[in-house]
């Protein structure tokens, strides 16, 4: 069927070409233009599926300059697909400014579901997946990297980072230093590809494994860290106790316990009992 005039957000495989959806192929075949992060890189994927649609480059260095031109193409009745080198566009990839301007210009933005390295890795990590925070790449400079981890140190959610081969040892060392050598982490490498590996253990153990094996310092990497779980002697997470105390400054204990329990996924009766013991 013919595509309507819109900007289509089209995920592409993160490694295995077989992971592309039938709908993604159909859209890429039928739109008038494909905006690619790297036309040569995407050309291999498109050629594999016999897609001959016209391509144009849209990346970090030219996105702001290309936005108006793409809006003009939409104004002229052309349908456009946005793809990144791999995975879902905008997730640590270009596209935010484009999508924002296209919506402001009154055109439809239609997203397709598909591959995302962070979610794919998390699903197989064995770490809690009910609450997580995707943090993209850690800063390249050491001080900024340490500061970022210090900010996240007591976050109770599973933390997800992308990392590049030349920085993986520095980032793992920073995680050991800031989050602690005993923090449980999982490092996923080359997810969906031939040399896919998952390393799990304490931060110190995973760092030692990567230091000892140069192969683990290659490819696309996802680091996942268990959230902060320090508990008091009653087995209630310290972050939940802090929330309870804060809420009790403005609310009755019963109401505060109910809200804190909902925020942190705990039983309100346990928090209420603990609050009584603290005389909140």
């Amino acid at each position: 069927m013919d595509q309507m005039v819109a900007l289509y957000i089209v995920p592409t495989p993160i490694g295995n070409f077989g992971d592309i959806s039938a709908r993604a192929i159909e859209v890429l075949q039928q739109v008038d233009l494909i905006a690619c992060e790297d036309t040569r890189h995407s050309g291999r994927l498109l050629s594999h599926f016999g897609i001959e649609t016209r391509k144009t480059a849209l990346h970090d260095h030219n996105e702001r300059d290309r936005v108006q031109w793409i809006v003009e193409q939409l104004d002229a009745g052309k349908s456009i697909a946005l793809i990144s080198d791999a995975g879902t566009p905008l997730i640590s990839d270009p596209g935010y400014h484009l999508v924002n301007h296209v919506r402001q210009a009154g055109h439809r933005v239609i997203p397709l579901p598909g591959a995302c390295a962070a979610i794919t890795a998390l699903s197989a990590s064995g770490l809690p997946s009910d609450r997580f925070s995707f943090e993209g790449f850690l800063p390249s400079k050491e001080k900024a990297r340490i500061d970022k981890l210090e900010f996240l140190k007591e976050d109770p959610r599973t933390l997800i980072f992308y990392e590049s081969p030349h920085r993986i040892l520095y980032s793992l060392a920073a995680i050991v230093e800031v989050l602690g050598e005993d923090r449980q982490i999982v490092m996923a490498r080359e997810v969906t590809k031939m040399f896919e590996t998952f390393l799990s253990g304490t931060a110190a153990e995973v760092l030692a494994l990567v230091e000892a094996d140069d192969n683990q310092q290659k490819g696309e990497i996802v680091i996942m860290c268990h959230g902060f779980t320090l508990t008091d002697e009653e087995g209630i997470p310290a972050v939940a106790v802090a929330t309870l105390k804060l809420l009790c400054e403005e609310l009755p204990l019963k109401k505060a316990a109910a809200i804190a329990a909902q925020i942190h996924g705990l039983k309100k009766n346990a928090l209420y009992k603990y609050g009584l013991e603290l005389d909140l």
Side-chain angles (χ1 to χ4, degrees):
M1 62 180 183
D2 293 334
Q3 300 297 329
M4 67 174 63
V5 175
L7 174 67
Y8 293 83
I9 310 301
V10 182
T12 55
I14 57 177
N16 189 320
F17 279 6
D19 292 335
I20 196 169
S21 72
R23 184 183 174 202
I25 293 174
E26 180 184 43
V27 168
L28 293 174
Q29 287 174 331
Q30 295 190 7
V31 293
D32 298 298
L33 180 68
I34 301 174
C36 311
E37 186 177 0
D38 183 325
T39 55
R40 288 175 298 179
H41 179 93
S42 295
R44 293 190 286 273
L45 174 72
L46 299 175
S47 176
H48 177 82
F49 289 103
I51 298 169
E52 300 179 351
T53 307
R54 177 188 169 198
K55 301 185 295 292
T56 188
L58 187 131
H59 45 70
D60 282 331
H61 304 295
N62 77 347
E63 182 179 0
R64 291 177 183 272
D65 295 332
R66 296 291 283 171
V67 162
Q68 186 55 43
W69 181 82
I70 290 179
V71 168
E72 290 171 358
Q73 304 309 301
L74 292 166
D75 289 341
K78 295 182 178 180
S79 56
I80 301 174
L82 173 67
I83 64 175
S84 63
D85 286 348
T88 300
L90 282 79
I91 309 301
S92 279
D93 281 323
Y96 161 72
H97 297 290
L98 174 62
V99 170
N100 189 28
H101 280 77
V102 167
R103 292 183 68 86
Q104 288 184 10
H107 291 289
R108 288 195 63 182
V109 178
I110 301 177
L112 276 64
C116 174
I119 302 303
T120 305
L122 177 64
S123 70
S125 69
L127 295 175
S129 57
D130 55 335
R131 297 184 69 221
F132 59 89
S133 177
F134 174 65
E135 298 293 334
F137 286 86
L138 282 168
S140 58
K141 295 186 181 299
E142 182 179 8
K143 184 181 184 305
R145 184 163 54 238
I146 294 295
D147 288 345
K148 178 72 170 180
L149 288 170
E150 286 285 359
F151 178 77
L152 296 168
K153 184 176 182 178
E154 296 189 0
D155 193 315
R157 299 169 295 180
T158 296
L159 302 174
I160 306 175
F161 305 97
Y162 285 164
E163 198 46 274
S164 57
H166 67 279
R167 293 209 309 251
I168 184 60
L169 291 177
Y170 298 113
S171 289
L172 288 173
I175 288 170
V176 170
E177 177 183 344
V178 179
L179 303 188
E181 62 181 18
D182 293 328
R183 180 72 68 101
Q184 291 293 311
I185 75 169
V186 176
M187 191 186 93
R189 187 181 67 88
E190 294 291 86
V191 176
T192 78
K193 301 176 185 176
M194 181 180 297
F195 298 107
E196 173 183 286
T197 57
F198 281 78
L199 300 178
S200 61
T202 67
E205 289 170 342
V206 172
L207 173 58
L209 289 171
V210 177
E211 285 178 330
D213 185 355
D214 289 345
N215 287 323
Q216 297 302 323
Q217 301 170 34
K218 300 175 182 177
E220 304 290 333
I221 299 167
V222 182
I223 305 172
M224 295 158 285
C225 306
H226 197 293
F228 183 69
T229 56
L230 178 64
T231 59
D232 67 3
E233 58 272 13
E234 299 293 328
I236 297 175
V239 65
V241 175
T243 301
L244 180 63
K245 290 179 178 179
L246 184 62
L247 290 171
C248 280
E249 293 179 6
E250 302 292 338
L251 299 170
L253 173 59
K254 187 174 182 179
K255 182 67 173 178
I259 295 173
Q262 185 176 12
I263 292 172
H264 298 289
L266 301 171
K267 293 182 177 179
K268 62 181 179 182
N269 288 341
L271 278 172
Y272 179 71
K273 179 182 176 181
Y274 188 70
L276 291 174
E277 294 174 355
L278 293 180
D279 195 25
L280 294 177

